[in-house]
């Protein structure tokens, strides 16, 4: 794969943003919470939020990601979805890339703890999944979608860290919205 430079490395994760979308963020990004908050602020009325998880689909990972999804849904009042890749690519993945530009995405990738070589080939199943994730990301970027790629070095620790960042960013977003509502009522 071509080398990538993360815009942020913090704890158990690295975050990547394409050059075009990167221009919408401040030059210096101080923390994961700040970056998540900025990404969530791009959500407007009529948009939706999607988690595209190229990690193991198990009950623990799904529960953590559903909590993030529900938090975004409740705080931002938008439709949300969660898909585990590469299985979603032939269904909802087509709508993300071919539908209107109203999606705000977080793609999750990870280091593969249990990787298995593909028999009679010089690559592994982990590389196949990584290639599918990269291809999916390239098309989202090509279609100018708002997408962050979060690479988890340790899946459980990284998901916990990401969940904390979302909780903090969403708490701030709800507080900001409440202040706007109070200001509108007093005018």
């Amino acid at each position: 794969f071509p080398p990538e430079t993360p815009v942020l490395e913090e704890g158990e994760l690295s975050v990547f943003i394409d050059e075009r979308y990167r221009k919408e963020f401040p030059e210096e990004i101080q923390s994961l919470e700040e970056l998540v908050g900025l990404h969530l602020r791009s959500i407007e009325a009529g948009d939706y939020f999607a988690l595209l998880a190229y990690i193991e689909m198990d009950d623990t990972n799904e529960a953590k990601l559903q909590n993030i999804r529900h938090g975004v849904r409740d705080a931002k009042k938008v439709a949300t979805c969660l898909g585990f890749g590469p299985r979603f690519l032939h269904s909802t993945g087509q709508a993300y890339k071919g539908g209107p530009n109203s999606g705000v995405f977080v793609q999750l990738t990870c280091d593969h703890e249990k990787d298995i070589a593909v028999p009679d080939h010089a690559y592994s199943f982990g590389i196949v999944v990584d290639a599918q994730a990269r291809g999916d990301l390239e098309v989202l970027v090509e279609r100018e979608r708002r997408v962050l790629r979060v690479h988890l070095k340790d899946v459980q620790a990284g998901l916990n860290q990401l969940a904390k960042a979302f909780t903090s960013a969403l708490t701030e977003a709800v507080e900001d919205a409440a202040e706007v509502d109070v200001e509108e009522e007093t005018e």
Side-chain angles (χ1 to χ4, degrees), residues 18-29:
D18 72 275
E19 290 178 28
R20 179 205 52 85
Y21 189 43
R22 175 69 176 98
K23 292 175 184 170
E24 296 183 27
F25 295 88
E27 195 169 316
E28 288 286 322
I29 298 171

Side-chain angles (χ1 to χ4, degrees), residues 12 55-56 58 61 110-116 126 130 152-157:
E12 292 299 324
I55 63 176
E56 185 175 350
D58 63 25
N61 294 346
C110 68
D111 291 342
H112 302 283
E113 281 182 37
K114 304 171 196 166
D115 202 1
I116 301 170
D130 292 346
L152 309 169
K153 297 168 194 167
D154 175 278
V155 173
Q156 294 312 306

Side-chain angles (χ1 to χ4, degrees), residues 138-155:
E138 284 178 16
V139 175
L140 290 169
V141 167
E142 183 182 289
R143 305 282 165 111
E144 299 186 356
R145 302 312 197 227
R146 294 162 283 174
V147 59
L148 301 180
R149 180 169 79 86
V150 178
H151 185 79
L152 309 169
K153 297 168 194 167
D154 175 278
V155 173

Side-chain angles (χ1 to χ4, degrees), residues 2-184:
E4 297 177 290
T5 303
V7 296
L8 179 73
E9 288 191 88
E10 190 175 295
E12 292 299 324
L13 48 81
S14 302
V15 183
F16 302 87
I17 307 173
D18 72 275
E19 290 178 28
R20 179 205 52 85
Y21 189 43
R22 175 69 176 98
K23 292 175 184 170
E24 296 183 27
F25 295 88
E27 195 169 316
E28 288 286 322
I29 298 171
Q30 303 299 318
S31 68
L32 179 61
E33 178 185 331
E34 176 188 12
L35 182 54
V36 167
L38 292 166
H39 188 51
L40 292 173
R41 279 189 212 116
S42 76
I43 298 174
E44 300 174 354
D47 285 346
Y48 65 93
F49 173 80
L51 288 165
L52 313 177
Y54 287 86
I55 63 176
E56 185 175 350
M57 183 179 173
D58 63 25
D59 292 343
T60 301
N61 294 346
E62 184 171 6
K64 288 178 181 183
L65 293 172
Q66 290 289 12
N67 285 338
I68 291 172
R69 184 181 74 77
H70 293 151
V72 173
R73 178 199 65 196
D74 296 346
K76 301 298 284 182
K77 309 293 187 228
V78 296
T80 61
C81 53
L82 164 62
F84 282 87
R87 67 186 275 168
F88 72 85
L89 289 175
H90 299 290
S91 54
T92 55
Q94 298 304 307
Y96 302 152
K97 294 178 284 272
N101 192 358
S102 56
V104 176
F105 304 97
V106 173
Q107 184 191 68
L108 300 164
T109 58
C110 68
D111 291 342
H112 302 283
E113 281 182 37
K114 304 171 196 166
D115 202 1
I116 301 170
V118 176
D120 301 322
H121 290 84
Y123 52 88
S124 66
F125 284 104
I127 289 174
V128 172
V129 170
D130 292 346
Q132 290 174 312
R134 288 277 188 106
D136 187 34
L137 183 66
E138 284 178 16
V139 175
L140 290 169
V141 167
E142 183 182 289
R143 305 282 165 111
E144 299 186 356
R145 302 312 197 227
R146 294 162 283 174
V147 59
L148 301 180
R149 180 169 79 86
V150 178
H151 185 79
L152 309 169
K153 297 168 194 167
D154 175 278
V155 173
Q156 294 312 306
L159 286 178
N160 290 340
Q161 185 180 349
L162 189 62
K164 284 177 73 173
F166 266 87
T167 298
S168 295
L170 290 168
T171 299
E172 188 175 305
V174 168
E175 290 169 359
D176 289 347
E179 286 177 19
V180 169
D181 288 345
V182 169
E183 288 173 9
E184 290 174 358

